[in-house]
Amino acid sequence: MGSVASVMALSGDEVSGFVGAPDEIDLLRAQQYDLLAVLLGRAPGPDLLAALSGLKDGEGALGRQVTALAQAAAESDATAIEREFFALFIGVGRGELLPYASYYLTGFLNERPLARVREDFAALGIERDAAMSEPEDHLAILLEVMAGLAAGRFEAEAGLQVRFFARHIEPWAGRFFADLETAKAGRFYRAVGGLGRAFIEIEAEAFAMEG
């Protein structure tokens, strides 16, 4: 397994314009999903680490996790984090954690959860990048799609965000991020785990209120 450097390729159904532009909150949500997707897809380089270390302190549960991530970024270097990423997600044979829906929901890779992801991707006009070796139920990929839905990058019917989240992310992503917070090989990525767990909890509560 390698890093998810390039996640998905869009078919001709990618949106160049959309009805009902996302509001400021949706764009902020999309940025959060994008950030988590990038950090789970590959080890951050020096430029991203510098940007993360400059994040402003926030309030509330999510704000505290943003502060912790900024501190972790300031105290880390790209080479050490690259080794950490390898130990956590790649490893010799396998990493400490397997960030796949199939694994977390069934205990095995390439099971029914992956088939469900592929079904919904096909409906959205999302195609697998030929250069990508990872199965599509990798959490980085699912988070990137949620970012696209929140930002209005896809031609999607109303309510699809809620259904996609409930079907592919809510059942297991919180557990994965909690595991990342306590991972033996983790240091910088423990802060990523805390941020991801807090964000998924907030999203789940917001979607539950909508329902």
Side-chain angles (χ1 to χ4, degrees):
M1 292 182 291
S3 66
V4 189
S6 176
V7 178
M8 302 299 290
L10 299 178
S11 73
D13 296 329
E14 183 177 7
V15 179
S16 57
F18 46 85
V19 178
D23 60 22
E24 182 179 357
I25 292 176
D26 284 334
L27 291 176
L28 289 173
R29 291 175 53 243
Q31 289 176 7
Q32 188 68 66
Y33 277 116
D34 275 330
L35 173 60
L36 291 169
V38 167
L39 292 174
L40 292 182
R42 61 181 181 272
D47 290 344
L48 180 53
L49 276 182
L52 292 175
S53 66
L55 291 173
K56 296 181 180 179
D57 293 348
E59 299 178 354
L62 189 63
R64 288 191 293 273
Q65 298 297 341
V66 169
T67 300
L69 180 63
Q71 182 177 350
E75 295 173 352
S76 304
D77 67 84
T79 300
I81 294 178
E82 188 172 356
R83 291 195 296 268
E84 181 181 338
F85 185 93
F86 180 87
L88 284 170
F89 306 123
I90 303 173
V92 178
R94 57 157 284 184
E96 182 178 343
L97 299 178
L98 295 175
Y100 305 95
S102 289
Y103 181 79
Y104 266 80
L105 295 176
T106 72
F108 300 94
L109 296 174
N110 302 316
E111 293 293 329
R112 179 58 183 162
L114 174 58
R116 289 197 294 266
V117 167
R118 287 173 173 168
E119 290 169 2
D120 285 353
F121 280 11
L124 282 167
I126 301 175
E127 298 176 352
R128 181 186 179 93
D129 189 330
M132 187 187 72
S133 60
E134 298 287 356
E136 294 93 321
D137 63 341
H138 191 292
L139 186 53
I141 297 172
L142 301 177
L143 294 173
E144 184 175 355
V145 172
M146 277 299 298
L149 291 170
R153 299 171 194 159
F154 303 119
E155 189 79 60
E157 61 185 18
L160 184 57
Q161 277 193 69
V162 179
R163 294 197 299 275
F164 189 92
F165 182 86
R167 186 171 183 176
H168 301 301
I169 294 178
E170 186 175 13
W172 71 281
R175 285 191 289 129
F176 166 78
F177 281 122
D179 289 344
L180 187 55
E181 282 187 278
T182 59
K184 293 179 181 179
R187 185 176 177 183
F188 168 80
Y189 270 92
R190 289 187 177 185
V192 176
L195 179 63
R197 177 185 50 77
F199 180 63
I200 294 300
E201 289 174 356
I202 291 170
E203 285 285 276
E205 291 174 3
F207 284 139
M209 291 176 63
E210 290 183 16

